[in-house]
Amino acid sequence: MLLGAVNTLLRDEYDSLDSLCDDYDISREELVERLGAAGFEYIPSINQFR
């Protein structure tokens, strides 16, 4: 569920992971770590987790 929500926001509203994290006041490192633990990595060139 977290993956879908984050990727939807990245696709529809944010041009980078940093801007999403700034607006929601969350740690970029923590988000990347949490999704990484589930097997996903952030790919900046497509602005999505895969």
Side-chain angles (χ1 to χ4, degrees), residues 2-48:
L2 177 61
L3 174 68
V6 169
N7 274 343
T8 297
L9 287 168
L10 288 169
R11 181 189 69 225
D12 296 343
E13 299 181 33
Y14 293 94
D15 61 357
S16 72
L17 183 58
D18 290 327
S19 60
L20 182 147
C21 291
D22 286 345
D23 278 0
Y24 282 87
D25 196 29
I26 58 175
S27 165
R28 182 187 197 279
E29 294 79 20
E30 189 174 318
L31 181 59
V32 169
E33 184 178 307
R34 181 174 282 187
L35 287 172
F40 301 101
E41 72 174 292
Y42 179 65
I43 304 170
S45 62
I46 61 170
N47 196 35
Q48 294 283 292

